[in-house]
Each structure stands twice: as C-alpha cells, then as structure tokens.
Amino acid sequence: MSATGSPQQRVAGREIPVRRIADLSHLPSDYSTTPGGSIFSTTPGGSRIYYDRSFLLQCRNSPLTKSPPPNMAKIPGVTVPEGSETKEKSVVEEKKPNPPADPDDQFQMEI
Amino acid sequence: MLAGLTMAASSLQELESIEKLSTDSPQLHRKAISEINYSEETGVPLNTPWTFYLDKSVPGTSAAEYEALLKKLYTVSTVQGFWSVYNNIPTIETLSSRYSYHLMRYERKPMWEDEDNCRGGNWKLKCHKDDTPKVWKELLLAAIGEQLSDCMAQGDEVGGVSCSVRDRDDIVQLWNTRADLADKSTIIQKVQELLPDVVFAAIFYKAFQTHQAFERGKVKTIRE
C-alpha cells in the first residue's frame, strides 16, 4: 500500500494470479473469503482458477453428483422421465444405423 | 494510536478505490445467484458459473423464435454441480438429430445476438459420431477447468461450447467473445492436443456478425 502514483496506475499492469488445482488439498482454505465475499474467483484480488482433467474426473463420483440438482428445470424426456405433459417427440431417439458416408458430400453447415 | 487508526482508515479507502477500479467482471442477475446458492455451497467452485442449455434447431427461425425454443437446464458454479447435471441428463449420443447441448459461461444464451456474444464468433468442428461423446466430454472439462483460457488472446475468452447432433456428422462449436482476436487464438491446436486420436472432418471459424441472419436490432434486448 506504500506504492506511489494513482490507484489506476498501480492497478493497470497487474496480471491475474493463477492457481492450478490438481488435488483438493491445493484449494486454499480461504478461497471464499476474498474482499467482497463472493465464491467466484473473479473478485478483485482473486485468482483465475484452473482444474486439470484428472481432478475434475475425480469429482465425478462424489455423492453430490448422483442425483440432479433438486431445482433443475423439469423437461420431460430430458431431466425427468417422459410424461404425459407433452406430446412432443422424444428428445432421445431410438438408435438407427448411421446413414452411409457420402464421399462427395460438400461440407454443409446446417445451423 | 490515533495516527494508526487514521492510517488504517486511509489504506482501507485506498483499497476500496482500487477494488472499484478493477471491478470489471460481469455481474450476475440476482436470480442466478439465488439459484446458485441453493445446492452448491459445499462443492469446489468453478472459475465462473456455466449454464447448460438444450435446443432443437428449426431452420429459418428468427432470434426471438429460437429464444422461445431454447431450454435452460441449469447454472452450475461448482465442479460437483457440473457433474450432477452432466450425470443426470441424456448423454449426447442418445439425443435425436437436430438437438444441441450448450454450456455457456455465466448465463449467456447460445445466441449470436446475446450482448456478450455479438462481437464474437465460433469455431465449428465437424465431428464423426463415434468421436462425439469423447470430444464433447473433453471440451466440457477443458472449458470449466479453464484449460482453454491460455489459448485466447488477451481480452478474448471462451464464452461457451456446444454440440449439435446431426444426421451424419455432428458439429461441435467453441464460442469466443472477440471475433477480431480469433486469429490470435491457439484453441484449435489445444483441442487437437487434448484429443490426439480424433480427426475432425472440417474446422472453420465464423464471426457472428457476418452471418446473413444476424439480427442487429436484437442485440441488447435479449437479457431480461
């Protein structure tokens, strides 16, 4: 805090600190206590947070992930079983064999 | 003692003024925050929240019609929250043709005209159906783990990833927020590094505003 110059000058060139997480033990214990108090690391003074693939996969079988979030949107055929609420064609299809590849197919974007 | 207090006060003010200056991260709607708070307090926080969407592509729809068909599934803010959605929705290979999943940063809509997307564009990668489940999962993990952010030029960011199921090959999309910086991104090399065994049949980038159907007038009005 003893640096000279206006706050703008001091803030301008600062890099976002980076913290890479490969294991839960690397997660700082004061993670959610950045000034301003949000859990997001984009708060001033917070660091961008990276997770590698293996850490993310380790979390996949946590008990918290066995059921959907209780307040997730209820969409028949997607987040809840197909019900009578909608007559719409199911989002999930019965598998058909793939159409044969056409070598002369021009790349057509269909979006 | 008095001097000490004054000093503390002035450095606090200083700190606050610094915070104000550097608060340029996007703001979340209150609704989003309350949803996030609900079930994800105990998980490992993501760098930013991400929102799962589902849509069905109907050719020739306007932005407003598309928006009405778009279904928001959930906004996740923790790693566990991400998996609790991913593990409990149909896998990509079981979706019918013309459906798409999107995972968008914050609550941005997967629409060209969204105010955070409208200056951006996306890379489209044509993906063989056998590869789609793996490609989709790896890109989701790379996105939420912020493994792609080092590939983007300063000022640009990955705003979302999408996977669209089509009759023959599927289409994977990587959204960025600054079309003018897309040339400087090394995201495609990164994707190939993450998926060394996958050969994409085609890869190209397109800025949203260069689409004929881009609705200039729609920008800004999308957010509630």
Side-chain angles (χ1 to χ4, degrees):
Chain A
M1 281 299 135
S2 61
T4 52
S6 75
Q8 254 151 326
Q9 284 167 327
R10 267 176 282 141
V11 167
R14 200 171 140 194
E15 293 267 314
I16 299 172
V18 166
R19 190 187 289 272
R20 290 180 195 273
I21 306 290
D23 185 90
L24 256 187
S25 62
H26 299 162
L27 199 71
S29 57
D30 59 350
Y31 192 72
S32 53
T33 58
T34 43
S38 110
I39 62 164
F40 309 117
S41 54
T42 50
T43 44
S47 54
R48 179 188 284 163
I49 190 156
Y50 290 74
Y51 295 112
D52 66 23
R53 182 178 180 277
S54 62
F55 172 76
L56 294 170
L57 288 168
Q58 276 170 42
C59 298
R60 184 170 187 179
N61 297 317
S62 139
L64 291 169
T65 69
K66 301 292 180 207
S67 51
N71 50 346
M72 185 157 77
K74 304 278 183 288
I75 302 169
V78 184
T79 59
V80 293
E82 199 75 44
S84 53
E85 286 167 65
T86 172
K87 297 269 194 295
E88 217 182 313
K89 186 180 168 284
S90 172
V91 173
V92 177
E93 75 177 338
E94 296 141 43
K95 272 290 153 202
K96 296 173 292 199
N98 291 338
D102 175 3
D104 296 328
D105 176 41
Q106 294 296 306
F107 181 29
Q108 288 276 333
M109 296 310 294
E110 323 169 84
I111 290 181
Chain B
M1 181 66 198
L2 191 64
L5 269 177
T6 320
M7 231 168 81
S10 80
S11 59
L12 191 67
Q13 269 171 0
E14 224 173 12
L15 194 70
E16 274 169 4
S17 71
I18 290 171
E19 272 181 35
K20 282 209 185 79
L21 282 165
S22 45
T23 307
D24 55 4
S25 51
Q27 300 288 306
L28 277 178
H29 299 289
R30 281 188 185 152
K31 189 167 140 255
I33 291 168
S34 68
E35 281 176 11
I36 286 162
N37 286 345
Y38 178 71
S39 62
E40 296 197 69
E41 280 163 358
T42 52
V44 179
L46 296 173
N47 190 45
T48 67
W50 293 82
T51 302
F52 278 96
Y53 291 93
L54 172 77
D55 75 45
K56 184 178 184 185
S57 147
V58 180
T61 45
S62 69
E65 287 164 336
Y66 173 78
E67 196 178 3
L69 293 170
L70 179 67
K71 292 184 166 74
K72 178 187 157 183
L73 299 180
Y74 200 70
T75 302
V76 299
S77 58
T78 63
V79 178
Q80 288 82 356
F82 166 81
W83 286 118
S84 78
V85 175
Y86 182 92
N87 288 347
N88 294 286
I89 57 176
T91 54
I92 189 78
E93 69 271 25
T94 62
L95 289 191
S96 298
S97 188
R98 309 212 71 78
Y99 279 93
S100 305
Y101 278 138
H102 309 270
L103 185 74
M104 304 299 293
R105 200 182 284 278
Y106 297 99
E107 284 197 280
R108 290 171 201 175
K109 292 187 172 167
M111 300 179 67
W112 306 334
E113 294 86 356
D114 186 285
E115 63 178 294
D116 293 312
N117 298 332
C118 62
R119 281 167 295 278
N122 59 16
W123 287 269
K124 291 189 180 182
L125 299 88
K126 198 173 171 181
C127 179
H128 193 275
K129 279 197 182 292
D130 292 344
D131 295 325
T132 303
K134 180 179 173 192
V135 170
W136 178 229
K137 189 172 95 178
E138 292 302 321
L139 293 183
L140 289 174
L141 297 183
I144 64 168
E146 301 293 352
Q147 299 290 326
L148 304 173
S149 36
D150 287 343
C151 312
M152 309 305 282
Q154 194 165 9
D156 192 9
E157 70 174 358
V158 174
V161 290
S162 305
C163 187
S164 303
V165 179
R166 293 296 180 259
D167 287 335
R168 194 165 297 146
D169 289 331
D170 297 330
I171 299 160
V172 170
Q173 298 177 77
L174 298 156
W175 302 58
N176 79 328
T177 51
R178 290 273 302 269
D180 57 328
L181 297 174
D183 279 352
K184 297 198 171 76
S185 167
T186 55
I187 195 166
I188 295 303
Q189 287 97 299
K190 180 70 182 182
V191 169
Q192 281 163 344
E193 220 173 275
L194 292 169
L195 294 151
D197 306 332
V198 174
V199 178
F200 295 97
I203 298 175
F204 71 93
Y205 181 84
K206 192 162 171 70
F208 298 138
Q209 297 199 4
T210 64
H211 284 278
Q212 214 166 22
F214 183 85
E215 294 180 38
R216 234 156 264 280
K218 189 77 173 99
V219 173
K220 290 269 174 209
T221 61
I222 285 169
R223 290 274 179 94
E224 303 95 292

